[in-house]
Amino acid sequence: MTTTGEERERGFDHTEIEPRWQRTWDEADVFRIDDDETDPEYVLAMFPYTSGSLHMGHVRNYTITDAYARFERMRGESVLHPMGWDSFGLPAENAAEERDTNPRDWTMQCIDSMRDQLTEMGFGYDWDRELATCEPEYYQWNQWLFKQLREEGLVERQAAELNWCPSCETVLADEQVEGEDELCWRCDTPIEAREMDQWFFTITDYAEELLESLDDLDGWPNNVREMQRNWIGKQEGASVAFEVGDYGEVDIFTTRLDTIHGATFFSLAPGHPVAQEIAQQNDEVSEYIEMAEQADEDDLDVTSGVFTGEYAINPATGEEIPVYVADYVLTDVGTGALYAVPAHDERDHEFAEAHDIDIVQVVEPTDDADADPEAIDVQEAAYPEDGVLVNSGEFDGLESAEARDRFVEAFDGEHRTEYNLRDWGISRQRYWGTPIPMIHCDDCGYVEVPDEDLPVELPEFVHTTGNPLDAADEWKHVDCPDCGADAVRETDTMDTFVDSSWYFLRYTSPEMEEAPFDAERASDWMPVDQYVGGIEHAVMHLLYARFFTKVLDDLDMVDGVREPFTNLTNQGMVLGEDGNKMSKSLGNGVSPQRIIEEYGADTARLFIMEAAQPEKEFAWSPEGVQSAHSFLQNVYTLVSAYAEGEAGTAADTGNGADIADYVAREIDATAANATAEFEELRFNHALQAVRELVSLLRRYQEATTPDADTFERGLATAAKLLAPVAPHAAEEMWAELGHDDLIAEAEWPAAEAPADYGMERQLVENTREDIRDIVDTVGIEDPQTITLAVAPEWKHRVLNLARNADGNVVGTVMQDEELREQGEAAADFAKELAGRAQSLDEQLPPEREQAALERAAWLVEREFGADVVVQGPEEADPDLVGKAGPGRPAIDIAE
């Protein structure tokens, strides 16, 4: 609807109302939650990294949780909705280097700026619970928890081949290496392999539970659960020992023990101990291992390898098979050694072809398999499927699954479970992170920093290449806590994912000085009921948070809380207007600050929530922003006009009671519909229902002088339903309607649709559509009277029998004595229904159908400019009634 000049004058000024209501909420402690609350609704967005400015992805994420938190609060729930800062990390260190400052000052400036921006967006947080992971008050508990995990045997220091980013000059966890090209997750630099001593959390101790409990996370997206299953990578198989030259038995792990008779060579990873021993005596092997350790992944292929001169004994055949060192065998997968069956593994096949190794088929398709055994040529390509054993001696004819079981005992093996998941290396060679609370003494080894000396605070920042803490001589040289001798602090800091693995627990008691969190309160308030954040954290933050929560429960720090997040939503990306990801290089970014200044926070929030469901991506649309802005202004002017006594000036149509009844039912239905959609986070559907209600109220106002109570209830309901998404405008409307309290604390509208509302709505929509079809088909230009005749009760009786007739519609109907009195009419109607028996829906009885049409008659009158007459079967013309069916009134249009 076009906004008039008068309405524009009545419209609200977002630059005035938004700061005012933000101050009001703050003064009233609307979003503060008391420590003594019992099991509040815990709503949380993944806290932001302190970049200094919000982008549209942030705005979307935080609008989702804020809207849901406001919704639950209005429903009478106590709500915990906190905010904090993921404030350690390399970007701040780099920014400080570029600006000749230090990471702390830079980070604190960013926090202040982002806090102001979040406030300007109207997000309702309990700021009393704010935390920043870079504050010693927080990270001392990272250090304390490190020590607790170490006492439980969950911390190890070990040498390992690790992912090294030469640009960031630090180690990366496997989860931080992205794509087939193996790039650093932060800077897209190709990673290198380095052997280093590192601190590890042994997350693999929890691999089985992390995997199994995914099945119980019904509130998580299936794709996230599947990503974690794949990352954990459970494999059921068996281990068998092969005798390798003079080096003794070497264990292998395989999931295909049924193929062992086809093993024609043996492979060792370059890092396998036996390969390292052989290299000491074999220059060619030594050179290959050195090359493999230094090479990038892209420099090697599956055919890369070197013959060692050694042979292994195949325990199934007793034959000698050549031993190779090959880069495609990974040290940290399985045992780092494998027997190779070129006939039944694609990588083994490629290697065998390149090195002229025999290919022997030992499995062929079963009789009922799709593949034709005659068409299988393993010399050309591997056949990797299960099947029936051949060329396997006494075991020929066994199916693969049975053979795998039999061979474990036959070849002195053992059943075994392996995981792709690796222990979590937490050491980072950077400054801006939590110092690892360990001290190295030449005599005592690694010694923990005593609790009374925590936190180990970061020293003053040193501008240097490499690890800045190595250059902090005064800080790192200390006395050994055990013997008092000269010692050196650990100069690595913790992976910042440690910070985010338990921060949601700290929100329950952020000021606590004796422990990381209050155990009793955390046990009551956890788990988080609704968690929202990006899909990019599916196998990093989310997996680590699950691990930490299980460990903390085992440490009796929370009682029975094994999973941190009950429901998880991954918000989709906000794309640029061109449909591409927003980026500086493409110049398609949109500044939230500019939108707030031009249109207001409510407009940005409303547009984002209307554009798509939270998990879907959508493109930024200036037209959509303008639509959201105009809608809010129009709703406000409707409220303002009513408040000034201008509810309606239309002439009384004489059916005002019917119209008021129709509108009242639509108000109830809208509240019920929107409530259900809010519960499922389908905000766009809920907001569409609000738009339809507002449109209905405008038409009501134009059709007749509205019933004051009904009209005001409709306006109040619209304001309440908008309040979670557009809270400032909703508060302004609430005040205009004369309320002294805050809508943020008001009671959510009653959410129960009228009985049979769905059938009524479908009846009205179908009837209006049928009238349109008649007008268009016949070419009626100026209808004067539209008569609607409701079907008689006997036709409804036929419908109900037909819906339960099990196929014999006519026979069932004609067995009814009362219907037989209708003669041919009943039989003909039964035949008509029999043709569509599978799609017969329940309909309203005649008297309620008539009442529903009478209530909605004004909508037809407004649409077609004609008088509308609704008649029951007794009063209508019999010929017209004869054309009516249940849910499909007969229609007569007079010009």
Side-chain angles (χ1 to χ4, degrees):
M1 176 174 289
T2 304
T3 305
T4 67
E6 181 182 355
E7 287 176 326
R8 278 194 296 272
E9 290 179 6
R10 280 203 180 112
F12 62 85
D13 177 1
H14 67 269
T15 64
E16 187 275 322
I17 73 163
E18 291 185 348
R20 172 162 50 81
W21 287 116
Q22 289 159 14
R23 290 191 299 271
T24 302
W25 295 327
D26 185 48
E27 292 165 1
D29 281 337
V30 170
F31 309 114
R32 183 178 173 276
I33 183 170
D34 293 330
D35 288 340
D36 58 2
E37 290 288 353
T38 301
D39 191 23
E41 187 78 6
Y42 193 169
V43 183
L44 186 62
M46 294 181 186
F47 62 173
Y49 183 74
T50 48
S51 61
S53 60
L54 297 183
H55 54 66
M56 277 301 167
H58 288 131
V59 173
R60 188 181 196 192
N61 191 355
Y62 305 141
T63 301
I64 292 168
T65 55
D66 189 57
Y68 189 72
R70 287 174 178 272
F71 163 64
E72 290 289 3
R73 192 175 289 107
M74 291 177 71
R75 291 216 292 177
E77 290 281 353
S78 297
V79 177
L80 171 61
H81 186 220
M83 176 50 67
W85 312 101
D86 189 11
S87 48
F88 268 144
L90 188 60
E93 199 168 328
N94 292 340
E97 289 278 8
E98 292 170 6
R99 293 163 177 79
D100 195 26
T101 183
N102 65 78
R104 179 174 181 81
D105 288 348
W106 166 252
T107 298
M108 292 302 144
Q109 291 172 20
C110 290
I111 288 175
D112 289 343
S113 174
M114 294 178 74
R115 187 190 301 110
D116 289 344
Q117 293 170 61
L118 292 174
T119 301
E120 287 177 349
M121 284 300 303
F123 297 138
Y125 299 118
D126 183 351
W127 286 110
D128 289 349
R129 297 180 182 276
E130 181 183 13
L131 60 82
T133 59
C134 66
E135 295 284 14
E137 294 79 11
Y138 183 88
Y139 72 72
Q140 69 169 320
W141 299 113
N142 282 347
Q143 296 168 344
W144 185 84
L145 288 168
F146 175 96
K147 294 174 60 179
Q148 305 308 304
L149 267 65
R150 189 165 183 263
E151 289 177 16
E152 288 294 306
L154 294 170
V155 175
E156 292 182 357
R157 184 169 178 82
Q158 54 184 284
E161 186 176 284
L162 300 164
N163 308 305
W164 175 264
C165 175
S167 176
C168 298
E169 297 186 79
T170 190
V171 164
L172 303 178
D174 287 345
E175 295 89 339
Q176 294 166 318
V177 178
E178 296 186 335
E180 294 182 1
D181 294 334
E182 297 197 332
L183 304 178
C184 172
W185 73 299
R186 284 199 186 98
C187 67
D188 290 337
T189 300
I191 62 104
E192 300 173 355
R194 282 200 181 180
E195 180 106 355
M196 302 178 68
D197 288 337
Q198 299 276 284
W199 293 102
F200 288 84
F201 287 153
T202 55
I203 189 174
T204 52
D205 290 1
Y206 283 78
E208 185 63 25
E209 185 185 354
L210 286 167
L211 180 66
E212 285 191 353
S213 55
L214 286 169
D215 294 338
D216 299 325
L217 295 178
D218 297 329
W220 283 40
N222 287 332
N223 64 324
V224 174
R225 292 194 287 175
E226 192 61 24
M227 289 168 74
Q228 290 208 2
R229 286 190 187 98
N230 292 338
W231 191 260
I232 295 167
K234 181 179 180 179
Q235 292 182 307
E236 298 285 359
S239 63
V240 173
F242 278 62
E243 193 78 25
V244 176
D246 295 329
Y247 298 93
E249 291 187 341
V250 176
D251 283 337
I252 62 91
F253 171 80
T254 179
T255 60
R256 291 298 307 272
L257 191 57
D258 54 313
T259 66
I260 191 170
H261 287 84
T264 56
F265 69 99
F266 194 86
S267 290
L268 297 168
H272 193 283
V274 172
Q276 299 287 326
E277 282 190 61
I278 294 173
Q280 293 176 14
Q281 310 297 326
N282 187 316
D283 291 342
E284 191 176 358
V285 173
S286 176
E287 290 172 5
Y288 177 81
I289 291 175
E290 184 178 354
M291 179 273 294
E293 289 175 345
Q294 294 178 355
D296 290 335
E297 183 75 16
D298 293 340
D299 294 338
L300 296 168
D301 60 38
V302 73
T303 66
S304 169
V306 61
F307 177 48
T308 64
E310 301 291 340
Y311 290 85
I313 304 299
N314 185 337
T317 64
E319 296 176 355
E320 288 188 337
I321 56 176
V323 177
Y324 287 78
V325 175
D327 190 74
Y328 80 89
V329 186
L330 303 178
T331 304
D332 59 352
V333 174
T335 66
L338 56 82
Y339 71 76
V341 185
H344 303 293
D345 182 274
E346 292 171 358
R347 293 179 307 168
D348 295 348
H349 195 283
E350 282 190 61
F351 192 94
E353 284 189 312
H355 294 268
D356 196 23
I357 300 172
D358 289 344
I359 298 174
V360 178
Q361 181 174 5
V362 291
V363 176
E364 65 178 23
T366 58
D367 292 338
D368 58 352
D370 293 336
D372 178 5
E374 298 295 329
I376 300 298
D377 184 358
V378 297
Q379 304 304 317
E380 295 296 324
Y383 178 69
E385 309 299 329
D386 277 4
V388 175
L389 268 60
V390 295
N391 300 321
S392 300
E394 63 182 290
F395 301 104
D396 283 357
L398 284 181
E399 292 198 357
S400 290
E402 183 181 356
R404 285 193 284 270
D405 285 338
R406 292 268 296 273
F407 286 1
V408 173
E409 182 177 350
F411 306 123
D412 294 324
E414 62 179 23
H415 291 287
R416 187 164 160 182
T417 301
E418 286 284 327
Y419 300 89
N420 290 335
L421 182 68
R422 293 293 167 260
D423 286 332
W424 175 12
I426 66 163
S427 298
R428 298 294 180 268
Q429 294 69 44
R430 303 308 308 170
Y431 168 82
W432 195 231
T434 299
I436 295 174
M438 299 298 293
I439 294 171
H440 184 261
C441 171
D442 288 340
D443 294 329
C444 303
Y446 279 97
V447 180
E448 293 180 356
V449 175
D451 284 354
E452 59 268 23
D453 292 337
L454 298 181
V456 177
E457 295 195 38
L458 289 165
E460 186 176 343
F461 183 55
V462 178
H463 293 269
T464 183
T465 59
N467 185 352
L469 291 182
D470 274 338
D473 289 331
E474 184 177 346
W475 174 84
K476 74 177 183 180
H477 288 289
V478 292
D479 295 337
C480 172
D482 282 358
C483 71
D486 291 341
V488 179
R489 289 190 189 280
E490 171 62 72
T491 58
D492 285 351
T493 51
M494 293 186 195
D495 180 8
T496 53
F497 279 107
V498 176
D499 306 341
S500 57
S501 292
W502 66 279
Y503 79 107
F504 40 87
L505 288 156
R506 183 67 177 175
Y507 281 135
T508 64
S509 41
E511 301 298 328
M512 194 167 192
E513 297 180 355
E514 301 80 24
F517 50 84
D518 181 276
E520 183 177 353
R521 193 180 308 147
S523 299
D524 181 50
W525 288 13
M526 286 287 293
V528 174
D529 295 286
Q530 182 64 60
Y531 198 43
V532 179
I535 188 68
E536 66 272 16
H537 294 301
V539 293
M540 290 189 286
H541 160 58
L542 291 173
L543 188 64
Y544 297 150
R546 295 181 62 222
F547 164 64
F548 251 74
T549 304
K550 295 177 190 304
V551 171
L552 293 173
D553 184 33
D554 289 339
L555 293 173
D556 296 326
M557 294 182 64
V558 288
D559 184 10
V561 180
R562 301 297 290 181
E563 290 288 344
F565 315 117
T566 301
N567 295 291
L568 171 69
T569 297
N570 297 128
Q571 86 278 5
M573 190 178 297
V574 182
L575 305 175
E577 190 178 349
D578 58 3
N580 295 314
K581 180 179 178 180
M582 288 187 181
S583 70
K584 291 181 180 179
S585 61
L586 293 175
N588 63 351
V590 177
S591 165
Q593 197 63 36
R594 182 179 65 78
I595 298 301
I596 292 172
E597 291 170 359
E598 186 173 353
Y599 293 104
D602 280 351
T603 292
R605 292 169 61 123
L606 180 62
F607 164 68
I608 281 175
M609 299 295 262
E610 282 188 311
Q613 289 179 208
E615 66 276 8
K616 304 294 185 182
E617 66 180 24
F618 69 90
W620 185 263
S621 166
E623 295 79 13
V625 173
Q626 184 60 56
S627 172
H629 181 70
S630 297
F631 174 67
L632 289 176
Q633 293 290 349
N634 287 339
V635 181
Y636 176 78
T637 58
L638 190 64
V639 171
S640 179
Y642 172 79
E644 293 175 15
E646 301 174 22
T649 57
D652 191 344
T653 62
N655 60 344
D658 281 340
I659 300 176
D661 192 14
Y662 178 88
V663 172
R665 294 168 70 83
E666 288 295 319
I667 294 169
D668 292 339
T670 300
N673 180 24
T675 299
E677 300 294 358
F678 268 114
E679 288 174 341
E680 298 299 322
L681 273 66
R682 293 190 293 258
F683 302 103
N684 55 331
H685 293 176
L687 293 166
Q688 181 58 39
V690 179
R691 281 188 179 255
E692 292 172 3
L693 175 60
V694 172
S695 174
L696 177 68
L697 292 174
R698 279 201 176 276
R699 284 178 286 161
Y700 181 26
Q701 184 185 52
E702 294 163 358
T704 188
T705 300
D707 173 73
D709 290 342
T710 302
F711 196 73
E712 182 171 345
R713 187 166 74 88
L715 294 175
T717 298
K720 286 182 175 182
L721 298 180
L722 281 171
V725 178
H728 311 89
E731 290 286 8
E732 198 71 8
M733 295 175 205
W734 192 244
E736 283 281 345
L737 290 171
H739 297 278
D740 295 328
D741 60 337
L742 292 169
I743 200 169
E745 298 180 314
E747 186 177 346
W748 189 252
E752 186 172 347
D756 298 328
Y757 172 77
M759 283 190 283
E760 287 191 15
R761 186 179 180 90
Q762 195 63 51
L763 167 69
V764 173
E765 289 179 358
N766 288 343
T767 302
R768 293 174 70 185
E769 184 63 34
D770 289 345
I771 296 170
R772 292 187 199 108
D773 287 344
I774 294 171
V775 168
D776 291 343
T777 302
V778 180
I780 300 173
E781 295 183 0
D782 186 22
Q784 296 298 306
T785 304
I786 299 174
T787 302
L788 305 176
V790 175
E793 193 279 334
W794 70 263
K795 284 193 173 182
H796 288 262
R797 186 176 179 83
V798 171
L799 172 66
N800 291 333
L801 287 172
R803 293 181 67 242
N804 299 286
D806 289 331
N808 185 16
V809 174
V810 176
T812 301
V813 169
M814 298 315 295
Q815 288 176 12
D816 187 288
E817 184 175 347
E818 293 182 20
L819 291 177
R820 284 202 301 271
E821 295 177 2
Q822 301 299 325
E824 291 293 329
D828 290 344
F829 189 52
K831 291 176 184 177
E832 178 187 335
L833 295 183
R836 47 191 177 92
Q838 301 303 314
S839 59
L840 296 176
D841 296 324
E842 182 182 3
Q843 300 296 334
L844 296 168
E847 65 279 4
R848 290 173 62 186
E849 183 175 320
Q850 182 174 351
L853 291 170
E854 287 171 347
R855 282 192 295 267
W858 68 284
L859 292 174
V860 180
E861 291 175 350
R862 281 179 53 78
E863 181 175 358
F864 298 98
D867 293 332
V868 175
V869 178
V870 181
Q871 296 178 332
E874 294 80 13
E875 56 187 310
D877 181 274
D879 290 336
L880 185 61
V881 171
K883 301 174 183 177
R888 269 305 206 275
I891 301 170
D892 179 70
I893 303 178
E895 294 188 81

